[in-house]
Amino acid sequence: MQFKKLTFGLLMLSSILSFFGCSNSPKENNVSVTELHSLLADENITVLDVRTPKEIAQGKITTNALEADFFEDNFIEEATSKISKDQTIYVYCKGGRRSAKAVVKLRELGYSKVYNVEGGINAWKAKDYEIE
């Protein structure tokens, strides 16, 4: 009986975390907006914006960011057509949940150098970094 309660509790916790968009993306797959800001200043890097067109119209972290709407059915095809597996990719969205999920999907497909930008464009704005 105790085992059933524990199993049920774990199942409920998993469901709650999934509902609120928590990701199973390992922390080593993440970079902060501060790190991304430094990288953008020093290097020519690849950034992938996985927000909707309506969100993108409100501004981007960098005008050079590639775009692939995470909510579209063809998201994976759209994203992978724009990036190669040997590139280092920094993925962002509005708050970091979609991009974390996108990173997991891309890593499952063999993209080993793909990183989630923690907090997304909201964290970028909170640091008062420029929106393009």
Side-chain angles (χ1 to χ4, degrees), residues 20-99:
F20 287 105
C22 292
S23 171
N24 58 350
S25 178
K27 285 290 181 193
E28 66 269 14
N29 295 349
N30 294 329
V31 296
S32 69
V33 292
T34 303
E35 291 172 283
L36 180 62
H37 188 264
S38 295
L39 290 167
L40 284 169
D42 296 335
E43 300 175 31
N44 182 16
I45 63 169
T46 303
V47 178
L48 177 63
D49 187 335
V50 297
R51 297 176 301 149
T52 65
K54 185 177 178 181
E55 291 172 313
I56 290 170
Q58 298 171 5
K60 296 168 65 169
I61 287 177
T62 175
T63 55
N64 295 330
L66 304 173
E67 301 170 12
D69 184 349
F70 183 80
F71 292 129
E72 289 295 323
D73 291 337
N74 67 341
F75 165 72
I76 289 296
E77 293 81 12
E78 186 71 22
T80 57
S81 72
K82 297 177 179 186
I83 56 177
S84 65
K85 290 184 179 179
D86 63 335
Q87 286 177 283
T88 301
I89 318 287
Y90 298 91
V91 185
Y92 78 95
C93 63
K94 183 176 180 183
R97 291 185 187 116
R98 282 175 280 176
S99 54

